[in-house]
Amino acid sequence: MPFPLGGDFGRVVSRGFNVVSSDPETDQGDGLVYAGPTASGSSFSASQPPGAEKDHPVHQLLESVSRTKEFYNFSGGTTGSGVLSKVSSNVSSAWTHSVVPLAATSFWRMAQFNPGEYPRLPGVFSDLFVYDVVTSFTSYNSRIIHMIDTLAARIKQAGDPSMSGNVIQTDYYTTVSGQVDPCIGDFEPPFITYIAPTASGLEVRPRDQAIEFSLSDVITGVDISTVFASVNSTTSGTFSLLANGSDQTGGHVNVTGDATSYNFRYVPPFLWDYNDIVTVTISGSDLTPMVGGNPFFCTASGTNSFTGTIPFQVLNETSLPASLTVIGDTVPPYISQAVPASGTTGNSVFDPVVVKVADDLTGVDLSTLIVNVDSNPIVSAGVPSSSETVITGTPTEYTVTYTPTSAFTYGSTTNVAVSAADLVSITAPNSFSSLYDFSFIEDSTLVIENFVPAVGTHHNLDQLDIKVDVRDDTYGVDADQTFFVINGTVTSGTQTLLASGIQLTYHPPNDFNFDEPIRVTVHGTNGNVSAPVVKEAFYTLFYGCRILYFNDDPFPHATNVDVFVRARNVEALHKDLTTGYFFTSYTQPSSDFGASIEAINPQADLPATLTVIGPEHNYGQTVTVEFSVEDFEGNLLGPYIFTYTIENKPD
Amino acid sequence: MAAVSRWVRYPIAGTTGFSTIQNGTRGLQRGTANTSDKFTIPGGANNQMKVNIDGAAGPAPYQITLTSGTDLDPRFVARDIQRKLQTAGAGVNDGFDYCQVEFSNYKSSNGFGQFVIRSGTTDTGSTVAITAGDSSVLSLLGLNSLATENGTNDHLGTSTDALDAAYTGTATVSGVYRGAFDDLYQLTIGDIQPIGTATAAGGNTYGISNAGVATGGGFWNGDADETYTVTIATTNGQTVGGGTGNVPTFTVTSTQSDDVATAQEILYADEPYYIGTRGLTISWSDAPFGSGDVFTVICTKPTTVDGSNPTGAVAVAEYQYRSFLGDDSSAVTVTSVGGTALGRKGLTVGFSDSGVLTPRDEFKVVCKGPTPEAFGVTNMVYGNVTVTTESPVKVHQFEIISGAVDMSSVKFSLQSHGTFSHHDAGDLDTFFRYGTAGFGNPGDGTSNPNEGPEWTTSVLAADIATAKTSGNTGAPIHLDSTVTDLAVVSSADNAEDVGNRSLVADFVWTNIRLGAQESGANSSINYRLYFDYV
């Protein structure tokens, strides 16, 4: 069974005539009598029983036609158009129709009853034909109506001898004896009897889909040398399967069968791509047609060719849409932590101010961060205003730590103003500003006093005890939280109780370096448990020439040189007490002079004591010291040369 | 023929389950009238059946309405019935809770596959009763003619107790079942593997001339050594998958007369086919058979518990386990009080130290995979998702319900990120996360079926936020592979591999981490799944 294809493959139809006759008395009422399917040969001599095909749909439909005699006359010549007219007397009006000449012959004229044009013929008979035989064929006294339905060809003959000319009588018939040679030939192309995948549209197929089709031509056979097949793939492009019947795929097309029916099977050596749309185009012809029968009827036509397609799609995919509703960032940044917290009281004046700004969604835009403390900007546009402020963190949360060099004032209230925006850019950023305040603890009677060494005094290092009194007449002193911080190191030293406090004493276990000043912080905390007050005092001890230095061996006792320099500089200020003056030469190879300058008042007289003692000195040695003083303006005082002699080694 | 498929959604917190230890055989009813391998279930009528299991009191029997469709695959229909029976009878009894439905050749008298409904319990109270629904589907499924087996305390195919009375203790299963599908495990005491390999005869086409693989399995536990011989006929077809009437068939002879004279159709590759009536199965991979191909399976009765002792206490006796889906032990394990592995999907079994165990003592556990919450899903809805946060994690499964006999080359991809403008925009702020695991590609790095977890309850966004390639043993260990951020691809070659078992793909977990700058009230994307089928 042929499959419906994209192309027109037509049908194989034998042109052998079935010639029938009719007795009017046995007419079925439509004036048409049909032959059975037996007269496919080249001759006939007997009529078929009337009504043999009565049940045929064509017949059934025609039964509704009146029995009124109707005569039709072809007019016109053997070519061109003419008129098919009613000529009988009992027909009131002529019924005309164009004559369509048959191609390639002058012996036939054909009228085609188009749908609906003949009111008593149902409009479905678009393929009802009336054929007229020209006079050269009158020896058979034949008028032939050739009706073709979708299944077979039929011939009807009007044999009324009284009629002449190109007249068709459709009412009664006489038995006709004689011969009408059939025209036997192959008028149809090969057709496809099998296709895989089926071609009723885009078939969804697996990726290893093979392509199969069978070509058949039962009349003359398929001319294998005319068969072409090619593939057009949306992803693999176009390539040939068959050319002139030969495999073009390197052995992947298998051909079986013979001219009557060839079977082709292509198994691709690859997998079709997902979603590939594949179209296979097939074409071919049959062999040289057979032609026989009456030469008036039969002429040779060429070979019959066809083209067809097989489309399919490797549609092995499915979609799963997903949706969500985006909830945008409409939440501004916020203060995630503040220390001291907003509204709190009794905070330590020494604690830093810490504020954390967070944004959980898009994050904080640092460039928008502003923090003011008591209206003083400590962060502007995300940049710290001084080294007192440090910013750490990420856009999720930034931490601002403000540690002022000067403690806050006891009992004061400080306000902090913070503002920032988030990083939303597709809409306007969300911003916030916040102002909060907190207060510090009130001052107390906590006192730090009596620091030793006193200002202006000079001490030997091994006698250098640092002392201070920490006292609170109301709450007492928290000894555990009262201590020294000396050069950055916390030390509690020795604590001696006083009447309302303690005295801290620190005796250095080792000598300090001469190079650096000694920085002492006294940290005192009173005994107010609920709101302890902390105070700190700061002192700096500078080395000076008046701080005597006692050497170890070889100087078991003092052998030093007191050098007193009184310099006066009234034009230039001294930038730094420890570096504004320095020694420029010394006869000894040592670079360590073992002394420094202490300036009591840089703008007044500058006394200095040089203690020049070094391990290289020997008993009885004479030492020469060259001393000069220079200020930063390049003014040099000196050099002054001193000579002294070290005592002899004692017994 | 076009394949008809659908998406199935599982609850992210979906749980699995397993029964207590059972002994003996399960009650069942099976159809005997079916001759088809495709089933058209109308949508409005002839789609209902009633089932009672273990004689549950009213309102049992429960009526279920089957999913409609044309030419439905029988394995799908069986799964559909099973899901609906478990749901309808949830909590009624273990018979319903752990019931199992299969389309198989179990004792098929006509050689065609039949629907078999088994109770989730064993022993004499285990029964199944199938009756017509208000608009009965029974005739369509060949269930208008039924064979019935009530449960027993016997070994399958024998009348001896499945658990020797000498063991007075209790076996207890614990753990979390991590399988994707329902399965049945059987633990058998003994020092050997009772079921040998399925050996292809030397003259075979299958397995000799080609690479076909036959695998013996099932639960044979007979009381005498037995050799099964399976003979293939290719009169109707050489390969599986051609549909009923066009596939190879087999007959069976055994040295203990457990014969099957009626040719049994081999419809599908890699599905177990019953060989005889004593629990032995063979599954064949997809390869052409030759006419007269022969396979032999030697089944051996264990005679000692440890290689030397005819009986033994816990910690002496050994066992091996098998599951219907092929989670089979490769070696025997010594029983213990503390518990040792029962399968490779999360379960352990412990034995109380009381009495002695005897060879062939058998213990069964019915396991249940996660239960879907929606079928035929056409849209995945993540709901409201706030920028910079992770959306809820969703888990889906793809399955073919008709038009195919097997599936392969499943691939998952992001076809379109829709209106999301901050995906792969350089700032990488929107991520389309993905992870997969399942029967085809379980977790734990093996990527071999039956060798790792297939389902995990409550997979987190963090689990699929890190990339893991298939077969990798790294985190997340419970997933086979994960992708931090799926790229938009248009080719299957660039899609992510997803495993499958027959017509059911592995689970796919997805979620979206929204970038900070995304906007739009309702944004949609499109996932695409590629698959091949035959």
Side-chain angles (χ1 to χ4, degrees):
Chain A
M1 175 180 178
F3 289 81
L5 298 176
D8 180 10
F9 289 84
R11 294 167 289 110
V12 173
V13 179
S14 171
R15 292 296 177 94
F17 290 166
N18 296 332
V19 180
V20 299
S21 61
S22 170
D23 184 320
E25 299 304 319
T26 59
D27 193 344
Q28 297 302 305
D30 58 356
L32 302 174
V33 177
Y34 298 89
T38 58
S40 59
S42 60
S43 64
F44 62 92
S45 59
S47 64
Q48 295 296 314
E53 288 195 358
K54 181 174 183 296
D55 294 332
H56 190 276
V58 174
H59 180 269
Q60 292 173 340
L61 289 168
L62 291 177
E63 281 188 339
S64 63
V65 177
S66 167
R67 297 188 62 175
T68 303
K69 293 181 179 179
E70 294 179 352
F71 302 92
Y72 300 94
N73 182 24
F74 280 102
S75 63
T78 58
T79 60
S81 61
V83 177
L84 183 64
S85 305
K86 287 186 177 181
V87 296
S88 67
S89 59
N90 59 345
V91 173
S92 60
S93 62
W95 175 72
T96 62
H97 198 282
S98 298
V99 172
V100 180
L102 295 175
T105 176
S106 61
F107 296 101
W108 290 86
R109 289 177 292 188
M110 180 186 73
Q112 181 176 0
F113 287 57
N114 287 331
E117 291 190 358
Y118 186 38
R120 290 184 297 178
L121 290 176
V124 299
F125 289 95
S126 60
D127 54 354
L128 176 62
F129 296 90
V130 177
Y131 291 101
D132 174 36
V133 182
V134 298
T135 56
S136 60
F137 199 53
T138 56
S139 60
Y140 293 96
N141 192 28
S142 297
R143 300 292 184 269
I144 298 173
I145 297 175
H146 183 190
M147 299 181 66
I148 303 174
D149 65 16
T150 57
L151 296 177
R154 293 177 177 80
I155 298 171
K156 187 169 187 177
Q157 180 175 346
D160 185 352
S162 64
M163 309 293 291
S164 63
N166 302 323
V167 175
I168 297 173
Q169 180 181 353
T170 62
D171 183 55
Y172 64 91
Y173 305 87
T174 60
T175 299
V176 176
S177 62
Q179 178 172 323
V180 176
D181 291 338
C183 183
I184 300 174
D186 186 355
F187 296 93
E188 302 293 344
F191 60 95
I192 292 182
T193 58
Y194 175 74
I195 285 176
T198 56
S200 58
L202 282 176
E203 286 283 327
V204 180
R205 304 304 308 173
R207 298 180 64 203
D208 61 349
Q209 177 64 50
I211 297 169
E212 299 175 76
F213 57 93
S214 297
L215 296 181
S216 179
D217 191 295
V218 298
I219 307 301
T220 58
V222 177
D223 183 355
I224 186 69
S225 68
T226 66
V227 177
F228 286 78
S230 63
V231 169
N232 182 279
S233 156
T234 54
T235 57
S236 301
T238 300
F239 58 92
S240 175
L241 300 181
L242 293 166
N244 300 114
S246 297
D247 176 24
Q248 302 296 303
T249 66
H252 298 291
V253 175
N254 181 40
V255 182
T256 59
D258 54 25
T260 301
S261 180
Y262 283 109
N263 307 305
F264 303 89
R265 176 179 173 82
Y266 169 61
V267 179
F270 57 86
L271 295 176
W272 302 106
D273 203 354
Y274 289 102
N275 298 329
D276 200 352
I277 297 177
V278 181
T279 301
V280 183
T281 301
I282 308 163
S283 63
S285 301
D286 53 15
L287 294 166
T288 303
M290 297 179 296
V291 176
N294 192 299
F296 294 130
F297 292 102
C298 305
T299 60
S301 61
T303 56
N304 306 294
S305 62
F306 77 98
T307 299
T309 58
I310 306 173
F312 67 90
Q313 184 171 13
V314 184
L315 191 60
N316 306 3
E317 59 95 7
T318 183
S319 294
L320 181 58
S323 62
L324 59 78
T325 300
V326 177
I327 305 300
D329 184 0
T330 59
V331 180
Y334 61 95
I335 294 175
S336 55
Q337 186 182 26
V339 178
S342 174
T344 57
T345 59
N347 296 291
S348 170
V349 296
F350 302 105
D351 289 344
V353 175
V354 178
V355 58
K356 295 183 178 182
V357 181
D359 188 279
D360 299 332
L361 300 180
T362 55
V364 178
D365 182 354
L366 183 59
S367 67
T368 66
L369 178 61
I370 297 173
V371 180
N372 294 335
V373 175
D374 291 334
S375 300
N376 297 316
I378 64 167
V379 176
S380 299
V383 178
S385 300
S386 71
S387 60
E388 295 175 320
T389 303
V390 175
I391 302 175
T392 58
T394 65
T396 301
E397 182 180 71
Y398 285 111
T399 300
V400 177
T401 303
Y402 173 57
T403 309
T405 54
S406 298
F408 291 99
T409 303
Y410 282 101
S412 66
T413 297
T414 291
N415 62 68
V416 179
V418 182
S419 64
D422 60 20
L423 285 165
V424 171
S425 62
I426 200 164
T427 58
N430 306 292
S431 60
F432 89 107
S433 62
S434 176
L435 178 66
Y436 67 95
D437 57 43
F438 50 86
S439 62
F440 296 102
I441 190 168
E442 296 290 340
D443 197 0
S444 75
T445 55
L446 183 64
V447 174
I448 298 174
E449 60 186 1
N450 301 328
F451 185 82
V452 175
V455 173
T457 62
H458 300 78
H459 302 268
N460 293 331
L461 284 180
D462 63 347
Q463 298 173 343
L464 183 59
D465 285 347
I466 300 173
K467 298 180 180 178
V468 72
D469 293 344
V470 181
R471 179 173 49 81
D472 188 307
D473 297 335
T474 304
Y475 297 104
V477 173
D478 183 349
D480 292 338
Q481 297 298 319
T482 300
F483 47 80
F484 285 122
V485 180
I486 299 178
N487 286 343
T489 301
V490 174
T491 176
S492 58
T494 301
Q495 297 187 346
T496 304
L497 289 177
L498 303 176
S500 56
I502 58 175
Q503 181 184 63
L504 297 179
T505 302
Y506 175 73
H507 181 79
N510 298 299
D511 294 340
F512 292 106
N513 290 330
F514 290 106
D515 300 338
E516 299 291 337
I518 303 170
R519 299 187 184 279
V520 179
T521 300
V522 179
H523 182 95
T525 307
N526 75 355
N528 185 353
V529 177
S530 59
V533 172
V534 176
K535 278 189 176 180
E536 289 186 341
F538 306 96
Y539 305 89
T540 303
L541 306 182
F542 296 98
Y543 290 104
C545 293
R546 292 175 184 174
I547 298 177
L548 300 181
Y549 177 87
F550 290 87
N551 284 293
D552 294 331
D553 288 338
F555 301 103
H557 54 273
T559 303
N560 58 350
V561 179
D562 289 337
V563 178
F564 181 79
V565 176
R566 172 163 295 173
R568 182 180 180 82
N569 193 328
V570 298
E571 298 296 331
L573 298 178
H574 310 294
K575 295 182 178 176
D576 188 290
L577 293 178
T578 60
T579 58
Y581 302 85
F582 52 90
F583 301 104
T584 58
S585 65
Y586 180 50
T587 56
Q588 295 300 311
S590 171
S591 61
D592 181 4
F593 291 87
S596 63
I597 296 295
E598 178 183 278
I600 302 304
N601 184 346
Q603 298 186 61
D605 293 344
L606 299 175
T609 298
L610 174 64
T611 301
V612 183
I613 303 297
E616 295 82 6
H617 293 70
N618 295 317
Y619 291 105
Q621 181 183 358
T622 299
V623 179
T624 302
V625 177
E626 183 179 293
F627 174 70
S628 62
V629 179
E630 185 180 28
D631 64 18
F632 279 119
E633 299 301 322
N635 303 306
L636 182 64
L637 181 65
Y640 300 95
I641 299 174
F642 304 90
T643 301
Y644 62 93
T645 302
I646 302 175
E647 65 182 352
N648 292 327
K649 183 176 182 181
D651 294 335
Chain B
M1 179 168 53
V4 178
S5 60
R6 70 178 187 177
W7 287 95
V8 177
R9 186 177 72 240
Y10 286 76
I12 192 70
T15 57
T16 59
F18 54 86
S19 71
T20 55
I21 286 285
Q22 302 170 352
N23 311 111
T25 63
R26 291 182 288 172
L28 64 88
Q29 273 197 322
R30 58 185 171 86
T32 61
N34 178 58
T35 59
S36 177
D37 64 345
K38 298 179 180 63
F39 299 91
T40 296
I41 310 294
N46 300 116
N47 56 357
Q48 294 176 316
M49 61 191 298
K50 293 179 180 177
V51 179
N52 196 359
I53 299 179
D54 293 359
Y62 295 100
Q63 176 166 284
I64 59 173
T65 301
L66 304 193
T67 300
S68 63
T70 302
D71 291 339
L72 294 173
D73 183 271
R75 293 164 294 182
F76 165 76
V77 175
R79 209 162 55 247
D80 188 45
I81 296 172
Q82 177 177 287
R83 286 168 174 163
K84 287 172 178 172
L85 287 179
Q86 289 177 349
T87 300
V92 173
N93 58 37
D94 279 358
F96 272 109
D97 281 340
Y98 297 102
C99 74
Q100 292 186 319
V101 183
E102 64 190 34
F103 181 79
S104 72
N105 71 316
Y106 177 73
K107 294 186 178 178
S108 173
S109 58
N110 60 7
F112 297 102
Q114 305 291 343
F115 287 99
V116 183
I117 299 179
R118 298 178 189 271
S119 165
T121 64
T122 58
D123 217 331
T124 53
S126 174
T127 61
V128 174
I130 303 170
T131 53
D134 293 342
S135 186
S136 179
V137 72
L138 297 186
S139 294
L140 293 177
L141 303 182
L143 289 168
N144 51 324
S145 174
L146 298 170
T148 303
E149 295 179 24
N150 292 328
T152 70
N153 191 31
D154 300 335
H155 290 99
L156 188 65
T158 71
S159 59
T160 55
D161 287 349
L163 176 62
D164 194 283
Y167 181 62
T168 56
T170 302
T172 304
V173 179
S174 58
V176 176
Y177 178 59
R178 305 291 293 279
F181 299 100
D182 291 16
D183 201 358
L184 172 68
Y185 282 82
Q186 178 170 305
L187 176 159
T188 307
I189 298 297
D191 63 315
I192 60 169
Q193 299 286 343
I195 299 173
T197 57
T199 305
N204 273 16
T205 297
Y206 188 100
I208 301 297
S209 299
N210 60 38
V213 176
T215 303
F219 307 120
W220 184 93
N221 191 15
D223 56 358
D225 293 350
E226 186 169 18
T227 298
Y228 284 89
T229 301
V230 179
T231 304
I232 302 292
T234 58
T235 306
N236 298 331
Q238 280 190 285
T239 56
V240 302
T244 188
N246 300 300
V247 293
T249 59
F250 68 90
T251 53
V252 180
T253 59
S254 91
T255 54
Q256 298 295 330
S257 301
D258 188 14
D259 299 344
V260 180
T262 302
Q264 309 284 302
E265 286 194 326
I266 310 174
L267 285 172
Y268 313 111
D270 300 319
E271 296 281 2
Y273 288 86
Y274 288 95
I275 307 299
T277 63
R278 294 175 185 145
L280 175 65
T281 63
I282 292 180
S283 57
W284 285 277
S285 65
D286 189 7
F289 290 89
S291 178
D293 281 356
V294 171
F295 301 89
T296 303
V297 181
I298 299 174
C299 297
T300 307
K301 169 188 175 182
T303 56
T304 72
V305 295
D306 61 350
S308 57
N309 296 301
T311 63
V314 174
V316 173
E318 299 170 342
Y319 71 91
Q320 57 81 36
Y321 61 80
R322 287 181 176 274
S323 88
F324 191 72
L325 295 181
D327 185 4
D328 301 337
S329 58
S330 56
V332 294
T333 304
V334 179
T335 55
S336 75
V337 175
T340 45
L342 178 60
R344 290 164 288 184
K345 299 176 185 177
L347 299 184
T348 59
V349 57
F351 296 83
S352 63
D353 191 8
S354 179
V356 293
L357 292 157
T358 304
R360 296 181 65 227
D361 281 357
E362 67 180 33
F363 305 84
K364 294 178 179 178
V365 178
V366 184
C367 300
K368 190 162 68 172
T371 302
E373 65 178 6
F375 304 96
V377 175
T378 57
N379 190 30
M380 186 190 304
V381 179
Y382 286 112
N384 296 338
V385 181
T386 304
V387 292
T388 75
T389 68
E390 302 274 357
S391 76
V393 179
K394 301 291 184 180
V395 55
H396 291 77
Q397 188 180 59
F398 172 80
E399 65 178 358
I400 296 176
I401 64 174
S402 67
V405 295
D406 201 0
M407 180 166 62
S408 60
S409 302
V410 185
K411 292 172 178 291
F412 186 84
S413 68
L414 178 64
Q415 182 183 17
S416 167
H417 59 210
T419 56
F420 291 98
S421 56
H422 290 270
H423 177 228
D424 292 339
D427 47 9
L428 296 177
D429 56 1
T430 293
F431 297 90
F432 297 89
R433 309 199 189 286
Y434 153 87
T436 185
F439 186 93
N441 292 328
D444 273 356
T446 64
S447 296
N448 296 319
N450 285 317
E451 293 187 12
E454 301 160 4
W455 168 262
T456 297
T457 301
S458 297
V459 168
L460 303 174
D463 294 329
I464 57 177
T466 55
K468 177 187 178 183
T469 56
S470 179
N472 190 296
T473 56
I477 60 173
H478 48 285
L479 299 179
D480 176 62
S481 63
T482 55
V483 177
T484 303
D485 183 17
L486 288 171
V488 173
V489 299
S490 57
S491 165
D493 296 334
N494 297 321
E496 306 299 323
D497 290 331
V498 178
N500 70 290
R501 180 182 187 277
S502 66
L503 299 180
V504 182
D506 287 355
F507 299 107
V508 171
W509 285 269
T510 57
N511 87 316
I512 300 173
R513 182 197 182 277
L514 272 188
Q517 307 296 342
E518 297 291 2
S519 66
N522 291 290
S523 298
S524 61
I525 64 172
N526 204 52
Y527 296 111
R528 178 158 61 179
L529 183 134
Y530 298 93
F531 62 100
D532 200 4
Y533 68 93
V534 291

